[in-house]
């Protein structure tokens, strides 16, 4: 089997993850600021063990998310009155089944560096981030390989297609060895901007630095809602 009918390539709305036709972005993000011992103190250090344990759990949640999606798509298809509409959702379901693509991400990198007393653009911070994300990708792909033993590999997994893949070759020898028996997910990672997620968790977004210490966030009102009164009008008249 292959993606013959799903071979169109595009991006999700935020542009951080490439997709085959009818595929979806299933994103979960880990808050990096939660993994510091002795924040802001000279003794501050990153809790690597806790981070890797969290990656294992997060990858399972990502994979479970695909199964939940499949269940909901089955319900939509079963209750669809129009065959054309049902066919679209069948293609969505099939694409998810074949590749089992997920996008585990992080947010709060800037907050993490502040807690570790590292300046965002310093050589030390850059080297720390390089090692952090190298460990992140290896732990995520090892988790996917472990799930393949338990739950099975994604259906179109073909090791021959990845023999000279630059990304696979960038993984550690241990991770590459594990992947030889398959992995659960066609793709495991992405770096999302995490705008709403970072607002909810009160951290910096994605891998970006903090652009202002303080700012005012406004939300557009729904003009059709007669009960809502605007308390601010911008230069565009919104």
């Amino acid at each position: 089997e292959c993606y013959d009918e799903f071979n169109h390539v595009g991006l999700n709305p935020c542009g951080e993850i490439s997709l085959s036709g009818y595929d979806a972005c299933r994103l979960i993000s880990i808050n990096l600021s939660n993994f510091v011992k002795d924040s802001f103190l000279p003794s501050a250090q990153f809790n690597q063990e806790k981070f890797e344990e969290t990656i294992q759990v997060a990858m399972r949640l990502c994979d479970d998310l695909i199964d939940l999606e499949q269940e909901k798509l089955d319900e939509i298809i079963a209750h669809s009155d129009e065959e054309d509409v049902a066919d679209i959702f069948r293609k969505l379901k099939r694409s998810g089944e074949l590749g089992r693509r997920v996008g585990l991400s992080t947010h709060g990198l800037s907050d993490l560096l502040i807690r570790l007393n590292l300046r965002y653009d310093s050589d030390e911070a850059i080297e720390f981030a390089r090692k952090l994300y190298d460990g992140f990708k290896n732990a995520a792909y090892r988790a996917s390989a472990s799930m393949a033993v338990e739950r099975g590999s994604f259906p179109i997994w073909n090791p021959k297609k990845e023999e000279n893949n630059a990304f696979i070759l960038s993984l550690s020898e241990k991770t590459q060895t594990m992947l030889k028996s398959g992995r659960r997910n066609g793709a495991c990672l992405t770096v999302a901007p995490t705008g709403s997620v970072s607002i909810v968790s009160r951290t910096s977004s994605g891998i970006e630095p903090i652009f202002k210490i303080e700012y005012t966030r406004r939300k557009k009102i729904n003009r059709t809602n007669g009960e809502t009164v605007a308390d601010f009008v911008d230069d565009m008249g919104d």
Side-chain angles (χ1 to χ4, degrees):
E1 287 185 284
C2 64
Y3 273 113
D4 285 345
E5 60 181 308
F6 310 114
N7 58 3
H8 303 291
V9 177
L11 299 171
N12 74 320
C14 291
E16 76 271 3
I17 185 169
S18 58
L19 301 169
S20 56
Y22 299 99
D23 209 349
C25 58
R26 307 163 189 95
L27 308 180
I28 289 180
S29 184
I30 298 175
N31 183 353
L32 292 173
S33 67
N34 287 332
F35 299 94
V36 184
K37 298 177 181 177
D38 300 334
S39 294
F40 311 115
L41 299 176
S43 57
Q45 58 180 311
F46 185 72
N47 190 334
Q48 184 67 33
E49 182 179 354
K50 181 182 176 184
F51 182 50
E52 292 194 6
E53 289 174 356
T54 302
I55 293 170
Q56 301 293 314
V57 174
M59 279 301 298
R60 283 184 170 271
L61 290 173
C62 284
D63 194 61
D64 291 344
L65 189 59
I66 299 172
D67 293 332
L68 290 172
E69 177 188 282
Q70 296 288 301
E71 290 178 14
K72 289 300 178 182
L73 287 171
D74 280 336
E75 290 180 17
I76 293 171
I77 293 166
H79 292 88
S80 179
D81 296 328
E82 299 182 28
E83 183 58 28
D84 289 346
V85 174
D87 186 55
I88 291 173
F89 285 103
R90 288 191 194 99
K91 289 178 177 178
L92 289 167
K93 183 174 186 291
R94 188 62 174 154
S95 184
E97 286 175 334
L98 291 177
R100 298 193 69 87
R101 181 196 305 271
V102 299
L104 183 61
S105 185
T106 64
H107 61 283
L109 175 62
S110 185
D111 280 27
L112 168 63
L113 296 175
I114 291 169
R115 288 175 177 272
L116 291 172
N117 305 304
L118 296 175
R119 196 182 69 195
Y120 185 89
D121 63 344
S122 67
D123 291 341
E124 189 179 2
I126 292 170
E127 179 61 16
F128 171 82
R130 187 192 67 76
K131 290 180 179 178
L132 172 74
Y133 283 99
D134 187 61
F136 178 51
K137 71 178 181 181
N138 278 286
Y141 273 81
R142 286 198 299 270
S144 188
S146 296
M147 281 193 292
V149 175
E150 177 186 342
R151 302 178 176 184
S153 300
F154 67 100
I156 59 171
W157 178 68
N158 182 352
K160 291 184 179 180
K161 290 190 175 183
E162 297 183 340
E163 285 179 348
N164 297 310
N165 181 278
F167 178 79
I168 298 298
L169 293 175
S170 75
L171 298 170
S172 69
E173 185 176 342
K174 178 182 177 182
T175 306
Q176 289 185 48
T177 300
M178 291 182 71
L179 294 182
K180 289 180 180 179
S181 59
R183 66 177 181 274
R184 181 64 172 165
N185 314 98
C188 298
L189 304 174
T190 191
V191 179
T194 62
S196 299
V197 172
S198 61
I199 291 169
V200 170
S201 61
R202 296 177 179 268
T203 62
S204 54
S205 60
I207 59 172
E208 300 171 10
I210 294 171
F211 64 92
K212 268 188 176 182
I213 293 176
E214 181 180 300
Y215 64 93
T216 299
R217 181 178 178 85
R218 296 188 173 91
K219 175 181 154 186
K220 277 188 181 181
I221 66 168
N222 186 345
R223 293 178 182 274
T224 62
N225 186 347
E227 298 178 359
T228 304
V229 179
D231 60 2
F232 180 83
V233 179
D234 67 14
D235 295 337
M236 302 295 292
D238 290 327

